Amino acid sequence: MTNLANIKILVVGSGARENAIVKSLYNSIHKPKIYCFGSTLNPDIINKSIGYITGKLTDHEAILKFALNNNIQLALVCSDDPLAAGVTDTLLANEILCSSPTKAQAQLEWSKTFTRDLLAKYDISGSPLYKSFDINNFDTAIDYIKSLKTQFVIKADGLCGGKGVKVQGDHFDTLEEGLKFCQEIIDRGTTFLIEEKLIGQEFSFFTLSDGEHLSDMSPIIQDHKRAYEGDSGPNTGGMGTYSDANHLLPFLSEEDKKQASEMTKEVARALKQEIGVGFIGIFYGGYIKTRNGVKLIEYNARFGDPEAMNLLALLETDFVEINYAMATHTLDKISIRYKNLATVCKYVVPLGYPENPIKGGKVDISELHGNWNDIYFGSVDKTDNLNLLTLKGSRAIAICCVDQTISQAEEKVQELIEKINGPLFHRSDIGKTEYIQTKVDMINSILIEKRE
Ligand code: AMP
Ligand code: GLY
């Protein structure tokens, strides 16, 4: 392995996911020099980095200038907006190694039509029935919806900050309401997809890629997108996650995991053929286990937030080495290991989140006594008082704990949440045994229905 001692690494982003990434880099035996271009004042990243500035995460010029001024050797662009804006392309053009995808590669995330069409073109199974619409064929949407004979989902193309997808039965009820949303998308000048609604349990499965070789991240994670207990309320960026010691989920089999893994392998091959170069970075498959096997909800081109916390808390292999290997097509030279332990991660979020979140409120973290090992700062700013943070309106602080069982990890998370005081709420049900059982029961019931 190349000498990585004190390698200068740039992390673009300063949320909880990037906090997890920085913690892992910081623990490397190579003692990297960490620089962060963030959008918030993250107290833990500030402590662990030697250069930190804030700005707009899509500001190519500012990011490049910061990278060049600090002789950055390796960069990690961690979130969807800068990836879609091509920040990786700018850094690569200036001979800075990147372990993240280019704009063309990240298309897998920022264009839902591109991804569905890619699977169709290369005959990769796993998509629901779907059709794309634009201003020209918009008037045939009604016929297509009727032909589906199932509930349907409408997805605007492009990044919409989580607001581009509406699911019948969850976000709207009637055909007319659905068509009204289609009209709104068309009026914005955007195209959209209509898909068959899939019924089952969702899970996140990640695969590292260096453009030539793939390495599945073994632990499978389940996120909880809805804001309130029992998976009710509006969609969010993700309120919390869990993973099990055997790296499966209580409703998932090895065979399901294999199906998801195969799909990513085929998609990686197809993408390479389609755009001419291999994908560098993280394939984040959002899958759903249905009565007809594992299906694809969507791909993202980055770590999930909060899934990054679960995965990196379990990672045993040096994270600097992994990123360097991704950037230099040498993933096949390292073996990547994960602890066989369970994880639970929960976010505390501002009251009113996601629709009318309190902004500017104060969070008191003095009871943590500076022990931030399991704490990941998100949409908060540090203040002059080390124990006081200012809420910025989105998911505030993630707490992720590791233990032998999911329920032991969950108890630890709850204990830490009690020590964080402010105008906040969280989902107490995530990771609780009885709640996970409802997911197992749901899968069992749809499988039984199929047999009947
Ligand atoms: P996305 O932005 O594609 O992740 O979609 C957001 C959420 O919408 C997903 O996490 C699912 O819960 C739901 N969703 C998207 N597509 C479908 C589908 N075809 N069937 C059922 N639910 C879906
Ligand atoms: N866990 C949801 C996301 O990262 O998009």
Side-chain angles (χ1 to χ4, degrees), residues 150-207:
T150 61
Q151 289 197 307
F152 64 102
V153 177
I154 304 160
K155 298 183 164 183
D157 222 1
L159 295 178
C160 303
K163 296 190 177 69
V165 178
K166 285 204 197 270
V167 180
Q168 191 176 25
D170 294 351
H171 307 116
F172 70 94
D173 289 314
T174 63
L175 175 66
E176 290 68 34
E177 285 165 345
L179 288 171
K180 196 164 152 250
F181 183 54
C182 298
Q183 182 72 55
E184 280 167 29
I185 299 171
I186 289 291
D187 291 346
R188 289 203 299 263
T190 310
T191 58
F192 66 91
L193 292 176
I194 291 176
E195 292 184 358
E196 158 197 19
K197 178 177 173 181
L198 299 167
I199 310 285
Q201 283 296 322
E202 291 180 51
F203 61 95
S204 310
F205 186 41
F206 296 80
T207 301

Side-chain angles (χ1 to χ4, degrees), residues 274-295:
E274 195 64 15
I275 63 175
V277 282
F279 177 99
I280 291 188
I282 298 152
F283 286 103
Y284 163 175
Y287 297 100
I288 182 165
K289 175 171 173 151
T290 72
R291 59 161 63 93
N292 298 315
V294 171
K295 305 277 179 194

Side-chain angles (χ1 to χ4, degrees), residues 17 204 223 225 237-238 284 298 300 302-307 395:
R17 164 185 43 212
S204 310
D223 189 12
K225 293 252 165 71
Y284 163 175
E298 63 163 356
N300 295 317
R302 53 177 171 81
F303 265 129
D305 183 350
E307 290 96 327
R395 294 173 295 168

